[in-house]
Coordinates of all heavy atoms in Angstrom, one line a residue:
M74 N 87.9 105.4 86.4 CA 89.3 104.9 86.1 C 89.2 103.6 85.4 O 88.4 102.7 85.7 CB 90.0 104.8 87.5 CG 91.6 104.6 87.1 SD 92.5 104.5 88.7 CE 92.8 106.2 89.1
E75 N 90.0 103.4 84.3 CA 90.0 102.3 83.6 C 90.9 101.2 84.3 O 91.7 101.5 85.1 CB 90.5 102.5 82.2 CG 89.6 103.3 81.3 CD 90.1 103.5 79.9 OE1 90.8 102.6 79.5 OE2 89.8 104.5 79.3
M76 N 90.7 99.9 83.8 CA 91.4 98.8 84.4 C 92.9 99.0 84.2 O 93.7 98.6 85.2 CB 90.9 97.6 83.7 CG 91.3 96.3 84.4 SD 90.4 96.0 85.9 CE 89.8 94.5 85.8
D77 N 93.4 99.3 83.1 CA 94.9 99.5 82.9 C 95.4 100.6 83.8 O 96.5 100.3 84.3 CB 95.2 99.9 81.4 CG 94.8 98.7 80.5 OD1 94.9 97.6 80.9 OD2 94.6 99.0 79.2
E78 N 94.8 101.7 84.0 CA 95.2 102.7 84.9 C 95.2 102.2 86.3 O 96.1 102.5 87.1 CB 94.3 103.9 84.8 CG 94.4 104.6 83.5 CD 93.3 105.7 83.3 OE1 92.6 106.1 84.3 OE2 93.2 106.2 82.2
L79 N 94.1 101.4 86.7 CA 94.2 100.9 88.0 C 95.3 99.9 88.2 O 96.0 100.1 89.4 CB 92.8 100.1 88.3 CG 91.6 100.8 88.7 CD1 90.4 99.9 88.6 CD2 91.7 101.4 90.0
I80 N 95.6 99.1 87.4 CA 96.6 98.1 87.6 C 97.9 98.8 87.8 O 98.8 98.5 88.5 CB 96.7 97.1 86.4 CG1 95.4 96.3 86.6 CG2 97.9 96.3 86.4 CD1 95.1 95.3 85.2
K81 N 98.1 99.8 86.7 CA 99.5 100.6 86.8 C 99.7 101.3 88.2 O 100.8 101.3 88.7 CB 99.4 101.6 85.7 CG 100.7 102.4 85.5 CD 100.6 103.3 84.3 CE 101.9 104.0 84.0 NZ 101.7 104.9 82.8
E82 N 98.6 101.9 88.7 CA 98.8 102.5 90.0 C 98.9 101.6 91.1 O 99.7 101.9 92.1 CB 97.6 103.4 90.1 CG 98.0 104.5 91.3 CD 96.8 105.6 91.3 OE1 96.1 105.9 90.3 OE2 96.9 106.3 92.3
I83 N 98.2 100.5 91.1 CA 98.3 99.4 92.1 C 99.6 98.9 92.2 O 100.3 98.8 93.2 CB 97.3 98.2 91.9 CG1 95.9 98.8 92.2 CG2 97.7 97.1 92.7 CD1 94.8 97.9 91.8
N84 N 100.3 98.7 91.0 CA 101.6 98.2 90.9 C 102.7 99.1 91.3 O 103.7 98.8 92.0 CB 102.0 97.6 89.5 CG 101.2 96.4 89.0 OD1 100.9 95.6 89.9 ND2 101.1 96.2 87.8
A85 N 102.5 100.5 91.0 CA 103.4 101.4 91.3 C 103.5 101.6 93.0 O 104.5 101.6 93.6 CB 103.1 102.8 90.9
L86 N 102.3 101.4 93.6 CA 102.2 101.3 95.1 C 102.9 100.1 95.7 O 103.4 100.2 96.8 CB 100.8 101.5 95.6 CG 100.2 103.0 95.4 CD1 98.7 103.1 95.6 CD2 100.9 104.0 96.3
A87 N 102.7 99.0 94.9 CA 103.2 97.7 95.5 C 104.7 97.8 95.4 O 105.4 97.4 96.3 CB 102.7 96.6 94.7
H88 N 105.3 98.4 94.4 CA 106.8 98.6 94.3 C 107.2 99.4 95.3 O 108.3 99.2 95.9 CB 107.2 99.0 92.8 CG 107.0 97.9 91.8 ND1 107.6 96.8 91.7 CD2 106.2 98.0 90.7 CE1 107.3 96.1 90.7 NE2 106.3 96.8 90.1
K89 N 106.6 100.6 95.6 CA 107.1 101.5 96.6 C 107.0 100.9 98.0 O 107.8 101.1 98.7 CB 106.1 102.8 96.5 CG 106.7 103.9 97.5 CD 105.9 105.1 97.4 CE 106.4 106.1 98.5 NZ 105.7 107.2 98.7
K90 N 106.0 100.1 98.2 CA 105.8 99.4 99.5 C 107.0 98.5 99.7 O 107.6 98.5 100.9 CB 104.5 98.6 99.4 CG 104.2 97.9 100.8 CD 102.9 97.2 100.8 CE 102.5 96.5 102.1 NZ 101.2 95.9 102.0
K91 N 107.4 97.8 98.6 CA 108.6 96.9 98.8 C 109.9 97.6 99.0 O 110.7 97.2 99.8 CB 108.8 96.0 97.6 CG 107.7 94.9 97.5 CD 107.9 94.1 96.2 CE 107.0 92.9 96.1 NZ 107.2 92.1 95.0
K92 N 110.0 98.8 98.4 CA 111.3 99.5 98.5 C 111.4 100.4 99.8 O 112.4 100.3 100.5 CB 111.4 100.4 97.3 CG 111.8 99.7 95.9 CD 112.1 100.7 94.9 CE 112.6 99.9 93.7 NZ 112.9 100.9 92.6
E93 N 110.4 101.2 100.0 CA 110.5 102.1 101.2 C 109.3 102.2 102.1 O 109.4 102.8 103.1 CB 110.8 103.5 100.5 CG 109.7 103.9 99.5 CD 110.1 105.1 98.8 OE1 110.8 105.0 97.9 OE2 109.6 106.3 99.1
G94 N 108.2 101.4 101.8 CA 107.1 101.4 102.6 C 106.1 102.5 102.2 O 106.4 103.4 101.4
L95 N 104.9 102.4 102.6 CA 103.8 103.3 102.3 C 103.4 104.2 103.5 O 103.5 103.7 104.6 CB 102.6 102.6 101.8 CG 102.7 101.8 100.4 CD1 101.6 101.1 100.2 CD2 103.2 102.7 99.3
T96 N 102.9 105.4 103.2 CA 102.4 106.2 104.3 C 101.0 105.7 104.5 O 100.5 104.9 103.8 CB 102.3 107.7 103.9 OG1 101.5 107.8 102.8 CG2 103.7 108.2 103.4
A97 N 100.4 106.2 105.5 CA 98.9 105.7 106.0 C 98.0 106.1 104.6 O 97.2 105.3 104.4 CB 98.6 106.3 107.2
E98 N 98.3 107.3 104.2 CA 97.4 107.6 103.2 C 97.6 106.8 101.8 O 96.6 106.5 101.2 CB 97.6 109.1 102.7 CG 97.3 110.1 103.8 CD 98.3 110.4 104.9 OE1 99.5 110.0 104.6 OE2 98.0 110.8 105.9
E99 N 98.9 106.4 101.6 CA 99.0 105.6 100.5 C 98.5 104.2 100.6 O 98.0 103.6 99.7 CB 100.6 105.5 100.2 CG 101.1 106.8 99.6 CD 102.6 106.9 99.6 OE1 103.3 106.2 100.4 OE2 103.2 107.5 98.7
Q100 N 98.6 103.7 101.9 CA 98.0 102.4 102.2 C 96.5 102.3 101.9 O 95.9 101.4 101.4 CB 98.3 102.0 103.5 CG 97.9 100.6 103.9 CD 98.5 99.4 103.1 OE1 99.7 99.4 102.9 NE2 97.7 98.5 102.6
I101 N 95.9 103.3 102.4 CA 94.4 103.6 102.1 C 94.1 103.7 100.6 O 93.2 103.0 100.2 CB 93.8 104.8 102.8 CG1 94.0 104.6 104.4 CG2 92.4 105.1 102.6 CD1 93.7 105.8 105.2
R102 N 94.9 104.4 99.9 CA 94.8 104.6 98.5 C 94.8 103.2 97.9 O 94.1 102.8 97.0 CB 95.8 105.6 98.0 CG 95.8 105.7 96.4 CD 94.7 106.5 96.0 NE 94.7 106.8 94.6 CZ 93.7 106.9 93.7 NH1 92.5 106.8 94.2 NH2 93.9 107.0 92.5
Q103 N 95.8 102.4 98.2 CA 96.2 101.1 97.6 C 95.0 100.3 97.9 O 94.5 99.5 97.0 CB 97.4 100.5 98.2 CG 97.8 99.2 97.6 CD 99.1 98.6 98.2 OE1 99.3 98.6 99.4 NE2 100.0 98.0 97.4
D104 N 94.4 100.1 99.1 CA 93.3 99.3 99.4 C 92.0 99.8 98.6 O 91.3 98.9 98.2 CB 92.9 99.5 101.0 CG 94.0 98.8 101.8 OD1 94.8 98.0 101.4 OD2 94.1 99.1 103.0
H105 N 91.9 101.1 98.5 CA 90.8 101.5 97.7 C 90.9 101.2 96.2 O 89.9 100.7 95.6 CB 90.7 103.1 97.9 CG 89.6 103.7 97.1 ND1 88.1 103.5 97.4 CD2 89.6 104.5 95.9 CE1 87.5 104.1 96.5 NE2 88.3 104.8 95.5
L106 N 92.1 101.3 95.7 CA 92.3 100.9 94.3 C 92.1 99.4 94.1 O 91.5 98.9 93.0 CB 93.7 101.2 93.9 CG 94.0 102.7 93.8 CD1 95.5 102.9 93.5 CD2 93.1 103.3 92.5
R107 N 92.5 98.6 95.0 CA 92.4 97.0 95.0 C 90.8 96.8 94.9 O 90.4 95.8 94.3 CB 93.1 96.4 96.1 CG 94.6 96.3 95.9 CD 95.2 95.7 97.1 NE 96.6 95.6 96.8 CZ 97.6 95.2 97.7 NH1 97.1 95.0 99.0 NH2 98.8 95.1 97.4
Q108 N 90.0 97.5 95.9 CA 88.6 97.3 95.9 C 88.0 97.6 94.5 O 87.0 96.9 94.2 CB 88.0 97.9 97.0 CG 88.4 97.5 98.4 CD 88.1 95.9 98.6 OE1 86.9 95.5 98.2 NE2 89.1 95.2 99.2
Q109 N 88.4 98.7 94.0 CA 87.8 99.1 92.6 C 88.2 98.1 91.6 O 87.3 97.7 90.8 CB 88.5 100.4 92.3 CG 87.9 101.6 92.9 CD 88.6 102.9 92.3 OE1 89.7 103.0 92.1 NE2 87.6 103.9 92.1
Y110 N 89.4 97.5 91.7 CA 89.9 96.5 90.6 C 89.0 95.3 90.8 O 88.5 94.8 89.8 CB 91.3 96.2 90.9 CG 91.7 95.1 90.0 CD1 92.2 95.3 88.7 CD2 91.9 93.8 90.6 CE1 92.6 94.1 88.0 CE2 92.3 92.7 89.9 CZ 92.7 92.9 88.5 OH 93.0 91.8 87.8
L111 N 88.9 94.8 92.0 CA 88.0 93.7 92.2 C 86.6 93.8 91.9 O 86.0 92.9 91.2 CB 88.1 93.2 93.7 CG 89.4 92.6 94.2 CD1 89.4 92.4 95.6 CD2 89.7 91.4 93.4
A112 N 86.0 94.9 92.1 CA 84.6 95.2 91.7 C 84.4 95.2 90.1 O 83.6 94.5 89.6 CB 84.2 96.7 92.1
I113 N 85.4 95.8 89.4 CA 85.5 95.8 88.0 C 85.6 94.4 87.4 O 84.9 93.8 86.6 CB 86.5 96.7 87.3 CG1 86.2 98.2 87.6 CG2 86.6 96.5 85.9 CD1 87.2 99.1 87.3
F114 N 86.6 93.5 88.0 CA 86.9 92.2 87.7 C 85.7 91.4 87.8 O 85.3 90.6 87.0 CB 88.1 91.6 88.5 CG 88.4 90.3 88.0 CD1 89.3 90.0 87.1 CD2 87.9 89.3 88.8 CE1 89.6 88.8 86.7 CE2 88.2 88.0 88.5 CZ 89.2 87.6 87.5
R115 N 85.1 91.4 89.0 CA 83.9 90.6 89.3 C 82.7 90.9 88.2 O 82.1 90.0 87.8 CB 83.5 90.8 90.8 CG 84.4 90.1 91.7 CD 83.9 90.5 93.1 NE 85.0 89.8 94.1 CZ 85.5 90.4 95.2 NH1 85.0 91.6 95.5 NH2 86.2 89.6 95.8
G116 N 82.5 92.2 88.1 CA 81.6 92.6 87.1 C 81.7 92.0 85.7 O 80.8 91.5 85.0
N117 N 83.0 92.1 85.2 CA 83.4 91.5 83.9 C 83.1 90.1 83.9 O 82.8 89.5 83.0 CB 84.8 92.0 83.5 CG 84.9 93.5 83.3 OD1 84.0 94.2 83.0 ND2 86.1 93.9 83.3
F118 N 83.6 89.4 85.0 CA 83.5 87.9 85.0 C 82.1 87.4 85.0 O 81.7 86.5 84.2 CB 84.2 87.4 86.1 CG 84.5 85.8 86.2 CD1 85.3 85.3 85.4 CD2 83.7 85.1 87.1 CE1 85.5 83.9 85.3 CE2 83.9 83.8 87.1 CZ 84.8 83.1 86.2
K119 N 81.3 88.2 85.7 CA 79.8 87.8 85.8 C 79.2 88.0 84.5 O 78.4 87.2 84.0 CB 79.2 88.7 86.9 CG 77.7 88.2 87.2 CD 77.1 89.0 88.3 CE 75.6 88.7 88.5 NZ 75.1 89.4 89.6
S120 N 79.5 89.1 83.8 CA 79.0 89.4 82.5 C 79.4 88.2 81.5 O 78.6 87.9 80.7 CB 79.5 90.8 81.9 OG 79.1 91.0 80.7
Q121 N 80.5 87.9 81.6 CA 81.1 86.8 80.7 C 80.4 85.5 81.0 O 79.9 84.8 80.0 CB 82.6 86.6 81.0 CG 83.2 85.5 80.0 CD 84.8 85.4 80.1 OE1 85.4 86.0 81.0 NE2 85.3 84.6 79.3
L122 N 80.1 85.2 82.2 CA 79.4 84.0 82.6 C 77.9 84.0 82.1 O 77.4 83.1 81.7 CB 79.5 83.6 84.0 CG 80.9 83.3 84.6 CD1 80.7 83.1 86.1 CD2 81.2 81.9 83.9
E123 N 77.3 85.2 82.2 CA 76.0 85.3 81.7 C 75.9 85.0 80.2 O 74.7 84.7 79.8 CB 75.5 86.8 82.1 CG 75.2 87.1 83.5 CD 75.0 88.5 83.9 OE1 75.1 89.4 82.9 OE2 74.6 88.8 85.1
H124 N 76.9 85.3 79.5 CA 76.8 85.1 78.1 C 77.5 83.7 77.6 O 77.6 83.5 76.3 CB 77.5 86.2 77.3 CG 76.8 87.5 77.5 ND1 77.0 88.4 78.6 CD2 75.7 88.0 76.8 CE1 76.4 89.4 78.4 NE2 75.5 89.2 77.4
T125 N 77.7 82.9 78.7 CA 78.3 81.5 78.3 C 77.1 80.6 78.2 O 76.2 80.5 79.0 CB 79.2 81.2 79.4 OG1 80.4 82.1 79.5 CG2 79.9 79.7 79.1
K126 N 77.3 79.7 77.2 CA 76.3 78.6 77.0 C 76.9 77.4 77.0 O 78.1 77.2 76.6 CB 75.5 78.8 75.8 CG 74.7 80.2 75.8 CD 73.7 80.2 74.6 CE 73.1 81.6 74.3 NZ 72.3 82.0 75.5
I127 N 76.2 76.3 77.4 CA 76.8 74.9 77.5 C 76.1 74.2 76.4 O 74.9 74.2 76.2 CB 76.5 74.3 78.9 CG1 77.3 75.0 79.9 CG2 76.9 72.7 78.9 CD1 76.9 74.5 81.3
K128 N 76.8 73.4 75.6 CA 76.3 72.6 74.5 C 76.2 71.2 75.1 O 77.1 70.6 75.4 CB 77.1 72.7 73.3 CG 76.6 72.1 72.1 CD 77.4 72.2 70.9 CE 76.8 71.7 69.6 NZ 77.6 72.0 68.5
T129 N 75.0 70.6 75.0 CA 74.8 69.3 75.4 C 75.0 68.3 74.3 O 75.1 68.7 73.2 CB 73.3 69.1 76.0 OG1 72.4 69.5 75.0 CG2 73.1 69.9 77.2
P130 N 75.1 67.0 74.5 CA 75.4 66.0 73.5 C 74.3 66.0 72.4 O 74.7 65.7 71.2 CB 75.4 64.7 74.2 CG 75.7 65.1 75.7 CD 75.2 66.3 75.9
D131 N 73.1 66.4 72.8 CA 72.1 66.4 71.7 C 72.2 67.7 70.7 O 71.4 68.0 69.9 CB 70.7 66.3 72.3 CG 70.3 67.4 73.2 OD1 71.2 68.3 73.4 OD2 69.2 67.3 73.8
G132 N 73.1 68.6 71.0 CA 73.4 69.8 70.2 C 72.6 71.0 70.8 O 72.8 72.1 70.2
K133 N 71.8 70.9 71.8 CA 71.1 72.1 72.4 C 72.1 73.0 73.1 O 73.1 72.4 73.8 CB 70.0 71.7 73.2 CG 68.8 71.1 72.4 CD 67.7 70.8 73.2 CE 66.7 70.0 72.5 NZ 65.5 69.5 73.3
L134 N 72.0 74.3 73.1 CA 72.7 75.2 73.9 C 71.8 75.7 75.1 O 70.7 76.1 75.0 CB 73.1 76.5 73.1 CG 74.0 76.2 72.0 CD1 74.2 77.6 71.1 CD2 75.4 75.7 72.5
H135 N 72.4 75.7 76.3 CA 71.8 76.1 77.5 C 72.6 77.1 78.2 O 73.7 76.9 78.4 CB 71.5 74.8 78.5 CG 70.8 73.6 77.8 ND1 69.5 73.7 77.7 CD2 71.2 72.6 77.1 CE1 69.0 72.6 77.1 NE2 70.2 71.9 76.7
P136 N 72.0 78.2 78.6 CA 72.7 79.2 79.3 C 73.1 78.7 80.8 O 72.4 78.0 81.3 CB 71.7 80.4 79.5 CG 70.4 79.8 79.3 CD 70.5 78.7 78.5
L137 N 74.2 79.2 81.3 CA 74.5 78.9 82.7 C 73.6 79.6 83.6 O 73.1 80.7 83.3 CB 76.0 79.5 83.0 CG 77.2 78.7 82.3 CD1 78.4 79.4 82.6 CD2 77.1 77.3 82.8
K138 N 73.2 79.0 84.6 CA 72.3 79.6 85.6 C 73.1 80.0 86.8 O 74.0 79.4 87.4 CB 71.2 78.6 85.9 CG 70.3 78.3 84.8 CD 69.2 77.3 85.3 CE 68.3 77.0 84.1 NZ 67.3 76.0 84.5
Y139 N 72.8 81.3 87.2 CA 73.5 82.0 88.5 C 72.7 81.1 89.7 O 71.6 81.1 89.7 CB 73.3 83.4 88.5 CG 73.8 84.0 89.7 CD1 75.1 84.1 90.0 CD2 72.9 84.6 90.7 CE1 75.6 84.6 91.1 CE2 73.4 85.1 91.9 CZ 74.7 85.2 92.1 OH 75.2 85.7 93.2
M140 N 73.7 80.7 90.5 CA 73.1 80.2 91.8 C 73.9 80.8 92.9 O 75.1 80.6 93.2 CB 73.5 78.7 91.8 CG 72.9 77.8 92.9 SD 73.1 76.2 92.8 CE 72.4 75.8 91.3
P141 N 73.3 81.6 93.6 CA 74.0 82.4 94.8 C 74.6 81.3 95.8 O 74.0 80.3 95.9 CB 72.7 83.1 95.5 CG 71.7 83.3 94.5 CD 71.9 82.0 93.5
S142 N 75.6 81.8 96.4 CA 76.4 80.7 97.2 C 75.5 80.2 98.4 O 75.9 79.1 98.8 CB 77.5 81.5 97.7 OG 77.3 82.6 98.6
D143 N 74.6 81.0 98.9 CA 73.7 80.4 100.0 C 72.7 79.4 99.5 O 72.0 78.8 100.4 CB 73.1 81.6 100.8 CG 72.2 82.4 100.1 OD1 72.4 82.4 98.8 OD2 71.3 83.0 100.5
K144 N 72.4 79.3 98.3 CA 71.5 78.4 97.7 C 72.1 77.1 97.0 O 71.3 76.5 96.2 CB 70.4 79.1 96.9 CG 69.6 80.2 97.8 CD 68.6 80.8 96.9 CE 67.8 81.8 97.8 NZ 66.6 82.2 97.2
K145 N 73.3 76.9 97.0 CA 73.9 75.8 96.3 C 73.3 74.6 96.8 O 73.1 74.4 98.2 CB 75.4 75.9 96.5 CG 76.0 77.0 95.6 CD 77.5 76.9 95.6 CE 78.2 78.0 94.8 NZ 79.5 77.9 94.9
P146 N 73.2 73.6 96.1 CA 72.8 72.3 96.5 C 73.9 71.6 97.4 O 75.0 71.7 97.1 CB 72.5 71.4 95.2 CG 73.1 72.2 94.1 CD 73.3 73.6 94.6
H147 N 73.4 70.8 98.3 CA 74.4 70.0 99.2 C 74.6 68.7 98.7 O 74.0 67.9 98.3 CB 73.9 70.0 100.7 CG 73.7 71.5 101.2 ND1 74.8 72.3 101.7 CD2 72.6 72.4 101.3 CE1 74.4 73.5 101.9 NE2 73.0 73.4 101.8

């Protein structure tokens, strides 16, 4: 499912939740759609960061380095 379709369906369920509430199946569907959305968003964001470079004052370009959260310096 594409991002636009996910957002459209998530929003439709959110509006229904505000107006009349959701059934148990619809709530499960909404949670599943949100997890899909977040997985796609995180993947896109990570890809964008992988292609980001920092330019230092001397003009050199350096790629950003991924640092897992458990190995961040203190």
Side-chain angles (χ1 to χ4, degrees):
M74 187 177 280
E75 290 187 30
M76 193 71 124
D77 291 337
E78 294 171 8
L79 277 172
I80 292 171
K81 188 176 181 179
E82 197 166 343
I83 290 168
N84 287 339
L86 287 169
H88 290 296
K89 184 177 180 193
K90 184 177 182 179
K91 285 183 181 180
K92 284 186 176 181
E93 57 195 76
L95 298 176
T96 64
E98 294 84 19
E99 289 171 330
Q100 183 64 46
I101 292 168
R102 176 79 175 143
Q103 185 182 41
D104 293 340
H105 178 71
L106 291 171
R107 286 179 175 166
Q108 291 304 315
Q109 282 183 324
Y110 172 82
L111 288 173
I113 293 169
F114 180 85
R115 288 178 181 132
N117 289 344
F118 190 71
K119 186 175 179 180
S120 175
Q121 184 177 4
L122 289 177
E123 287 172 352
H124 294 92
T125 301
K126 297 190 186 301
I127 297 173
K128 188 173 185 179
T129 56
D131 61 2
K133 294 182 182 178
L134 293 175
H135 302 278
L137 289 176
K138 293 183 180 177
Y139 174 70
M140 190 176 300
S142 60
D143 61 332
K144 295 189 178 186
K145 286 185 180 176
H147 297 283

